[in-house]
Amino acid sequence: MTEKEKSQQGLLYNANYDQELIEERSYAKGLCYDYNQLHPGKVNEREAIIKTLLGNTTDRFLIEQPFVCDYGYNIEIGENFYCNHNSVMLDGAKIVFGDNVFVAPNCGFYTAGHPFDVEQRNEGLEIVAPITVGNNVWIGGGVTVIAGVTIGGDTIIGAGSVVTKNIPSGVIAAGNPCRVLREITEEDKTKYRRN
């Protein structure tokens, strides 16, 4: 069994010294470098790189520069996806975003974890678990989402949160560790004035 196959089955695997994974990361990081060096006004070129890099995209999305990921092919974005500056996605496992997801600046999505045993960790072993974000989610600035987490649809994650466990749909959650503060209510629809 290859190291990549082990990772896909949720087993400990060696990402540090496996040539196949090293080459895949190098390719993705090269595309990230190219993307991050482009003038922001070169919209078509930017979109072409993201469509080459990511596993699934849609017609309407914007990922601000700089953007960094490990493999790219494990990231799937829904329609009307927006990701602000300085996002890091360590996608050893799937990272899936639904439709109408807004990610603020300086957010990290980390599917990788490392063994508690120092000998295994020093061998370069790691384990990955997917991250799933539902439709209509707003993730505030500086949020960290760790391996194995699902964030339900219609939810807001407050700035600076560290999401270590699943968050249900239709709530506002925040903190370190992130926890549900309250449900989103009908009153929230009229919180801000419209012209």
Side-chain angles (χ1 to χ4, degrees):
M1 182 181 309
T2 68
E3 296 303 305
K4 186 174 181 177
E5 290 169 338
K6 290 177 190 176
S7 75
Q8 292 168 342
Q9 293 185 23
L11 303 172
L12 283 172
Y13 73 104
N14 193 316
N16 289 345
Y17 305 110
D18 181 76
Q19 195 58 39
E20 176 186 17
L21 295 175
I22 291 169
E23 288 173 9
E24 289 181 354
R25 284 195 307 274
S26 179
Y27 174 74
K29 291 182 186 306
L31 288 175
C32 289
Y33 175 85
D34 292 344
Y35 182 73
N36 294 329
Q37 302 310 308
L38 278 174
H39 187 282
K42 294 189 174 184
V43 175
N44 293 336
E45 293 93 333
R46 288 175 62 189
E47 285 183 2
I49 290 175
I50 291 297
K51 287 184 176 190
T52 300
L53 178 62
L54 301 190
N56 185 59
T57 61
T58 58
D59 291 331
R60 288 187 339 170
F61 66 87
L62 178 57
I63 298 175
E64 301 286 6
Q65 300 148 300
F67 169 76
V68 179
C69 65
D70 273 345
Y71 300 97
Y73 59 73
N74 280 325
I75 301 169
E76 300 179 6
I77 60 174
E79 189 68 23
N80 197 32
F81 176 79
Y82 177 77
C83 185
N84 214 319
H85 300 284
N86 206 33
S87 177
V88 176
M89 297 187 190
L90 304 184
D91 62 315
K94 290 278 187 189
I95 302 175
V96 178
F97 296 95
D99 296 335
N100 304 306
V101 172
F102 299 101
V103 178
N106 301 311
C107 288
F109 300 84
Y110 310 138
T111 66
H114 300 280
F116 293 167
D117 177 68
V118 68
E119 291 177 13
Q120 291 177 334
R121 195 167 57 246
N122 288 345
E123 286 178 46
L125 298 178
E126 67 179 53
I127 193 162
V128 292
I131 293 171
T132 304
V133 178
N135 295 331
N136 309 309
V137 172
W138 172 22
I139 296 176
V143 168
T144 299
V145 181
I146 68 162
V149 166
T150 296
I151 298 172
D154 306 316
T155 283
I156 298 169
I157 305 295
S161 296
V162 179
V163 187
T164 61
K165 295 183 178 170
N166 293 347
I167 303 294
S169 297
V171 299
I172 297 173
N176 181 4
C178 188
R179 61 182 171 67
V180 174
L181 301 179
R182 67 177 178 85
E183 290 184 4
I184 295 174
T185 66
E186 286 296 315
E187 292 175 356
D188 290 319
K189 292 181 180 179
T190 59
K191 181 175 174 91
Y192 300 105
R193 291 179 41 194
R194 288 177 166 234
N195 286 341

